[in-house]
Amino acid sequence: MNELLGDGRASLRSLAEKLDVSVTTVSNHLSDLEEEGVIEAYTPRVNYDALGFDVTAVMQLKAEGSALPEITETLKDHRQMISVYEVTGDYDVIAIGKFKDTDDMNDQIKSLITDPDINQSNTSIVLNTVTENEQFELEPDDNV
């Protein structure tokens, strides 16, 4: 599993060589992990800055209790929201979005937070991305 975290495009043969097991063993193990939902997909890691999405915004929202599922669904379906979390604490939702510039961010966020079921919002602009989309290596006792 850790070998895939470093290179999601690694071939079964190269994984088998690195792990000193057969290709069949690797294939069977990956199939098991996929069936169990441990591996959900194989997807590229996109560098949004390279595509011109230079502004990252973190939105915190307080929602009317019964409207929470609708609000999170709207955020989830918004193409520029890369993460949406229901959370504990002062806010109910934290959403992270990527935008071309501050005008794009303002337009997008204003359209999202005009929902009358959003009681309060707080938006922060990320000044410096220290780490993002990182995954951690798993230990043998993590049941993988």
Side-chain angles (χ1 to χ4, degrees):
M1 175 68 125
N2 288 331
E3 294 297 329
L4 278 178
L5 292 175
D7 180 7
R9 295 181 66 183
S11 69
L12 294 177
R13 181 179 305 259
S14 69
L15 290 171
E17 288 173 3
K18 287 180 183 178
L19 299 170
D20 197 29
V21 297
S22 73
V23 172
T24 303
T25 299
V26 171
S27 178
N28 289 340
H29 189 61
L30 286 177
S31 292
D32 290 345
L33 292 171
E34 290 166 0
E35 287 175 21
E36 294 167 9
V38 173
I39 296 176
E40 295 181 335
Y42 299 89
T43 182
R45 195 176 290 181
V46 176
N47 179 340
Y48 288 102
D49 289 340
L51 295 172
F53 290 88
D54 295 329
V55 176
T56 301
V58 179
M59 298 186 330
Q60 298 172 296
L61 306 171
K62 280 188 182 179
E64 192 64 43
S66 62
L68 186 59
E70 182 181 315
I71 291 168
T72 55
E73 191 66 26
T74 298
L75 289 166
K76 180 181 80 86
D77 291 342
H78 191 281
R79 83 174 191 94
Q80 289 174 239
M81 291 298 147
I82 60 168
S83 299
V84 178
Y85 306 98
E86 290 182 16
V87 297
T88 62
D90 292 337
Y91 292 91
D92 302 307
V93 178
I94 294 178
I96 301 170
K98 297 285 188 175
F99 305 95
K100 294 273 187 183
D101 53 36
T102 54
D103 288 337
D104 179 35
M105 179 197 70
N106 284 333
D107 292 342
Q108 300 292 331
I109 290 175
K110 284 178 184 174
S111 72
L112 289 169
I113 63 172
T114 56
D115 186 323
D117 290 323
I118 296 176
N119 297 333
Q120 185 178 349
S121 69
N122 180 25
T123 301
S124 299
I125 297 174
V126 173
L127 297 176
N128 179 36
T129 301
V130 177
T131 184
E132 188 171 66
N133 297 323
E134 293 301 318
Q135 298 188 58
F136 57 90
E137 287 196 11
L138 300 168
E139 299 294 329
D141 60 341
D142 287 329
N143 297 323
V144 180

